[in-house]
């Protein structure tokens, strides 16, 4: 069986890469939580806590992130779960109760095992949030109340356990909603890609609606974040690359460079993967080198123009270490000679 870390869910991986940054998580929570909560929650002080509380067999479809901060000046925990199922989960409220109790158990265990010994502190509040994207609207109960038989609810009332989670449903959300939400540029573009890229909509047209956020990401040189988001979009969308390239070219040289950086990362990764597979099939390391060499040549032509016969021969006869060195130079160099010297 394949290890999850080797084949991560693309939605999960992109969401985690963006929202694990506290500044972006804060904007997501500001968009998802009620105003009476965000007004008293210190979102500027969010800190990512280690660990996961999702069952191992569910991690292909969910990613969970736990943050600590202060609520009304007191310590609090905010638990964020992203839901990647294509349909609502009837038992989500029950599962969230299970996760919350696990968080509390870890909290109590940590206090018990601390150097100060046991402390009879109260339980910290945990605010569960579910971010959902699917093919249809969420229609499962958002609290345990919806999981009890009505007759038992009437008889037992407050004796039954209660838990409600905050649902932020991205299904059917439109561009105006995303533009009006208090999201950082990275979070807004990430949510836009989650909402629209898998639906096989024209990626260049979707990006055009969020041009100010795309430009802000490029202006602040958030290269890795931009590459992560766009890498996800390329992976789940079937938009022809030429259309996306034209969109970035129309935004100017800086945007074109940012686009080149994402296609560079994607092209090199694909070339190395193809080369490695070829090497296994033929039983020799040259397969990987050939794949990297082919990708390097394509990127050099795309950025600087045609190669001379001497440059082509130099690439084809290079060692794997030389190829890796040249690949690392492609984006920063100003000429082919600057890469191959």
């Amino acid at each position: 069986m394949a290890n999850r870390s080797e084949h991560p869910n693309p939605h999960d991986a992109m969401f985690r890469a963006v929202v694990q940054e506290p500044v972006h998580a804060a904007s997501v929570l500001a968009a998802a939580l009620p105003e009476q909560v965000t007004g008293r929650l210190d979102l500027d002080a969010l800190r990512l806590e280690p660990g996961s509380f999702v069952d191992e067999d569910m991690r292909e479809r969910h990613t969970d992130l736990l943050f600590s901060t202060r609520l009304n000046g007191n310590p609090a925990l905010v638990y964020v779960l992203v839901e990647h199922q294509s349909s609502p989960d009837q038992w989500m409220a029950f599962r969230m109760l299970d996760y919350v109790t696990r968080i509390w158990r870890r909290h109590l265990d940590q206090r018990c095992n601390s150097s100060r010994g046991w402390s009879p502190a109260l339980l910290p509040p945990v605010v569960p949030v579910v971010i959902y994207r699917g093919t249809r609207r969420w229609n499962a109960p958002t609290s345990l109340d919806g999981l009890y038989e009505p007759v038992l609810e009437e008889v037992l009332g407050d004796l039954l356990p209660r838990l409600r989670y905050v649902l932020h449903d991205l299904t059917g959300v439109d561009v105006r909603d995303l533009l009006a939400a208090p999201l950082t540029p990275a979070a807004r573009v990430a949510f836009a890609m989650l909402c629209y890229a898998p639906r096989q909509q024209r990626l260049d047209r979707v990006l055009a609606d969020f041009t100010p956020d795309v430009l802000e990401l490029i202006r602040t040189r958030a290269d890795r974040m931009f590459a992560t988001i766009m890498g996800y979009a390329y992976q789940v969308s079937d938009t022809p690359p030429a259309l996306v390239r034209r969109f970035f070219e129309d935004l100017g040289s800086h945007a074109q460079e940012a686009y080149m950086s994402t296609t560079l990362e994607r092209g090199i990764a694909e070339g190395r993967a193809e080369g490695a597979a070829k090497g296994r099939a033929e039983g020799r390391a040259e397969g990987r080198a050939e794949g990297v060499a082919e990708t390097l040549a394509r990127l050099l032509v795309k950025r600087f123009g045609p190669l001379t016969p001497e440059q082509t021969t130099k690439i084809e006869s290079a060692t794997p270490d030389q190829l890796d060195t040249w690949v690392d130079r492609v984006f920063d160099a100003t000429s082919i000679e600057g890469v191959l010297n």
Side-chain angles (χ1 to χ4, degrees):
M1 182 177 292
N3 184 284
R4 178 178 180 264
S5 63
E6 295 175 356
H7 302 284
N9 180 300
H11 318 292
D12 175 279
M14 192 273 284
F15 181 90
R16 174 175 286 276
V18 175
V19 182
Q20 70 181 356
E21 299 288 339
V23 64
H24 305 313
S27 73
V28 170
L29 292 174
L33 292 171
E35 289 185 11
Q36 63 266 31
V37 176
T38 56
R40 300 185 179 188
L41 196 65
D42 189 354
L43 294 177
D44 292 333
L46 280 185
R47 186 180 69 180
L48 181 65
E49 297 291 331
S52 173
F53 301 90
V54 172
D55 293 327
E56 187 67 33
D57 61 347
M58 299 297 292
R59 291 181 188 170
E60 277 297 322
R61 296 179 296 183
H62 314 294
T63 183
D64 59 329
L65 297 166
L66 180 66
F67 296 91
S68 60
T69 186
R70 301 185 72 82
L71 179 66
N72 276 358
N74 299 306
L77 295 172
V78 181
Y79 183 57
V80 183
L81 178 86
V82 62
E83 169 69 36
H84 287 309
Q85 291 184 178
S86 60
S87 59
D89 183 350
Q90 173 72 14
W91 298 101
M92 178 58 76
F94 175 72
R95 285 177 40 214
M96 293 302 284
L97 174 64
D98 185 29
Y99 299 151
V100 169
T101 57
R102 294 181 194 184
I103 293 169
W104 279 335
R105 172 53 59 192
R106 190 184 75 171
H107 171 79
L108 294 176
D109 289 344
Q110 287 175 341
R111 296 193 67 87
C112 184
N113 295 329
S114 68
S115 58
R116 295 172 296 177
W118 173 257
S119 174
L122 298 175
L123 290 174
V126 180
V127 182
V129 180
V130 173
I131 310 294
Y132 167 73
R133 54 156 299 279
T135 57
R136 59 189 175 93
R137 291 281 190 176
W138 186 272
N139 59 4
T142 56
S143 72
L144 288 177
D145 294 3
L147 299 180
Y148 299 126
E149 289 286 349
V151 63
L152 297 179
E153 175 79 20
E154 293 176 7
V155 174
L156 298 176
D158 292 339
L159 294 178
L160 296 173
R162 307 287 177 179
L163 180 133
R164 183 173 70 88
Y165 60 87
V166 176
L167 174 69
H168 195 52
D169 189 350
L170 297 178
T171 309
V173 104
D174 62 27
V175 171
R176 290 173 298 178
D177 294 331
L178 285 178
L179 291 174
L183 298 166
T184 61
R188 195 185 327 276
V189 177
F191 273 19
M193 295 301 99
L194 280 172
C195 289
Y196 304 118
R199 299 180 187 176
Q200 311 310 322
Q201 296 190 18
R202 281 269 300 269
L203 195 57
D204 55 322
R205 293 175 179 172
V206 173
L207 289 167
D209 288 327
F210 299 92
T211 296
D213 294 293
V214 171
L215 289 174
E216 182 64 14
L217 274 177
I218 295 169
R219 185 190 69 79
T220 56
R221 305 299 298 174
D223 295 338
R224 185 170 298 278
M225 188 68 68
F226 180 77
T228 297
I229 296 171
M230 292 309 303
Y232 162 79
Y234 297 143
Q235 185 176 357
V236 301
S237 173
D238 63 354
T239 302
L243 295 177
V244 182
R245 181 177 67 251
R246 190 174 305 126
F247 166 77
F248 285 104
E249 288 173 348
D250 291 342
L251 293 182
S253 59
H254 292 303
Q256 188 173 358
E257 287 182 7
Y259 169 80
M260 283 293 296
S261 72
T262 62
T263 55
L264 170 63
E265 285 193 13
R266 187 172 55 134
I268 294 300
E270 290 173 352
R272 284 175 174 161
E274 291 170 3
K278 188 175 182 180
R280 288 191 298 270
E282 298 179 359
R284 64 179 190 268
E286 285 85 351
R288 173 192 175 278
E290 288 175 12
V292 177
E294 291 173 4
T295 302
L296 175 62
R298 289 200 306 269
L299 291 167
L300 288 173
V301 170
K302 179 184 287 289
R303 186 158 192 215
F304 302 112
L307 301 171
T308 66
E310 293 79 10
Q311 291 166 341
T312 299
T313 299
K314 189 172 184 177
I315 293 172
E316 290 175 349
S317 60
T319 66
D321 288 341
Q322 284 177 316
L323 290 171
D324 286 340
T325 298
W326 294 342
V327 161
D328 291 337
R329 294 176 181 170
V330 170
F331 186 60
D332 294 325
T334 57
S335 66
I336 294 177
E337 292 76 14
V339 175
L340 301 182
N341 287 340

